[in-house]
Amino acid sequence: MILIDGKKTSTEIQEKLARETAEFSNSVGKPPHLAAILVGNSGPSETYVAAKMETCRKVGFKSSLIRFETDIKEEELLLEIDRLNADPDLHGFIVQLPLPNHISVEKVIERIDPRKDVDGFHPLNMGKMAKNQPSFASATPWGIMRLIEAYGIETAGKHVVILGRSQIVGLPLALLLSRNSNPGNATVTICHSRTQNLTEITRQADILIAAIGIPEFVKAEMVKPGAIVIDVGINRIPDESKKSGFRLIGDVDFQQVSPLCSAITPVPGGVGPMTIAALMENTLMAARQQSGLS
Ligand code: NDP
């Protein structure tokens, strides 16, 4: 069984990005600049944004964190997005999800200038991705594609089963894996909460990808022996033995499933670090495009 090391692959991508960033900054006279909007102070979002800002530092980007209280009005947030869209010093920005219920995620995403939408959530970028045109691909699915590529995992002609159809993971990942490219050319099945006979379907998967947000949902009987398993899930479980009071586990029961499969991603250290690497790649691409370098 191969343990697919997302941390190592992400570090390798970041090292390459750091070299490319130095070249960019020398020729343009300023580094790529990524901003993150964080609404509220929920633990997981704080952690994700801090990791993104720290990675910016490592690769040589400028970064800005813009914080708002949970009770910010939707209109106020939209005006901030307008401001960032118009800021010539800023190449890309993200709005960390989830947002409070009184704010429409769709409105927020659609307000972002697609040229600065480095999370790749804007409908224009999603549409271009579906049409296999150059675009910012959604960061988590793109990170998974980079991981598949780095490990030389063959996807052409394989049956990929994806658990989850969210706009930010399952659906864009299905588009990327089914398009005519490498990696890609897979036969993709998307499952969701209304799928019947789930185990029957997951057992057909050559590559099984879990992105549903239910801790250890995927059990041994759901996996075909020899399959490759990619666990996108990040779930916080109370754990008094940890200083933080919790530990992270995936959507796959690693203990049960790992002995069965030919390769598997751990949680943490699998898909998570690749999401950040993909976000950095998108930001450098945005900076190059806005500086007339590509
Ligand atoms: P969502 O809650 O948006 O989507 C969950 C999906 O799972 C939905 O499509 C839902 O179906 C489906 N689902 C729920 N229950 C079942 C079930 N019993 N059987 C089959 N399908 C089911 O989650 P996200 O896509 O945002 O995130 C999924 C997981 O990935 C979470 O653990 C999240 O923390 C993690 N994540 C990790 C990232 C990383 O960088 N590693 C980045 C983003 C997310 P339906 O549509 O019918 O409701």
Side-chain angles (χ1 to χ4, degrees):
M1 187 271 293
I2 295 167
L3 195 64
I4 301 174
D5 189 341
K7 199 159 176 232
K8 178 167 160 272
T9 308
S10 173
T11 302
E12 286 163 4
I13 292 174
Q14 288 172 36
E15 285 165 0
K16 183 166 174 276
L17 273 171
R19 292 192 292 275
E20 292 173 356
T21 299
E23 279 170 30
F24 173 90
S25 302
N26 279 339
S27 70
V28 174
K30 60 178 184 180
H33 182 186
L34 174 72
I37 296 180
L38 180 59
V39 179
N41 55 0
S42 96
S45 291
E46 286 276 355
T47 310
Y48 299 146
V49 168
K52 289 167 188 173
M53 299 291 101
E54 170 60 12
T55 311
C56 282
R57 191 191 60 72
K58 280 192 197 152
V59 300
F61 291 0
K62 180 178 171 185
S63 66
S64 305
L65 174 56
I66 302 159
R67 286 176 175 276
F68 291 105
E69 296 296 328
T70 320
D71 61 359
I72 182 178
K73 292 200 170 58
E74 184 181 89
E75 192 50 33
E76 215 180 314
L77 185 57
L78 294 174
L79 289 174
E80 178 64 15
I81 291 173
D82 291 344
R83 189 184 73 74
L84 298 183
N85 284 339
D87 182 350
D89 182 54
L90 185 67
H91 299 106
F93 65 98
I94 61 162
V95 181
Q96 184 66 41
L97 301 178
L99 290 170
N101 289 338
H102 67 278
I103 298 176
S104 157
V105 174
E106 285 310 311
K107 270 195 203 167
V108 165
I109 287 172
E110 288 182 24
R111 194 73 161 245
I112 299 173
D113 183 333
R115 291 168 298 185
K116 294 191 177 186
D117 169 41
V118 286
D119 248 343
F121 295 160
H122 190 282
L124 191 76
N125 282 318
M126 289 274 276
K128 283 187 174 177
M129 188 182 66
K131 289 173 75 71
N132 209 357
Q133 293 175 4
S135 68
F136 299 117
S138 315
T140 299
W142 188 243
I144 293 168
M145 296 300 278
R146 299 285 275 120
L147 200 52
I148 286 173
E149 197 181 17
Y151 274 80
I153 294 168
E154 182 60 82
T155 55
K158 302 294 179 190
H159 187 187
V160 178
V161 175
I162 301 176
L163 298 180
R165 58 176 164 185
S166 75
Q167 300 276 321
I168 63 168
V169 186
L171 183 68
L173 186 57
L175 290 171
L176 287 170
L177 282 164
S178 58
R179 67 187 191 177
N180 184 1
S181 57
N182 184 24
N185 283 316
T187 304
V188 181
T189 302
I190 306 181
C191 301
H192 45 77
S193 65
R194 306 289 291 274
T195 299
Q196 293 180 354
N197 307 323
L198 194 65
T199 298
E200 217 172 275
I201 298 168
T202 58
R203 280 191 67 85
Q204 292 171 29
D206 302 309
I207 303 173
L208 178 61
I209 304 179
I212 59 174
I214 303 177
E216 296 182 336
F217 179 86
V218 176
K219 301 289 181 191
E221 66 271 15
M222 298 172 73
V223 180
K224 177 169 79 173
I228 293 166
V229 177
I230 296 177
D231 190 351
V232 187
I234 302 181
N235 306 290
R236 285 186 170 203
I237 299 295
D239 184 342
E240 284 175 7
S241 70
K242 302 273 177 198
K243 209 170 114 198
S244 59
F246 66 86
R247 68 192 159 93
L248 297 179
I249 60 169
D251 289 349
V252 176
D253 187 329
F254 189 87
Q255 293 284 85
Q256 275 194 17
V257 170
S258 56
L260 271 176
C261 49
S262 60
I264 187 167
T265 59
V267 177
V271 173
M274 293 303 295
T275 296
I276 299 185
L279 176 67
M280 299 297 135
E281 285 193 327
N282 278 350
T283 303
L284 181 58
M285 189 163 96
R288 283 183 172 142
Q289 284 170 0
Q290 287 161 47
S291 309
L293 295 180
S294 65

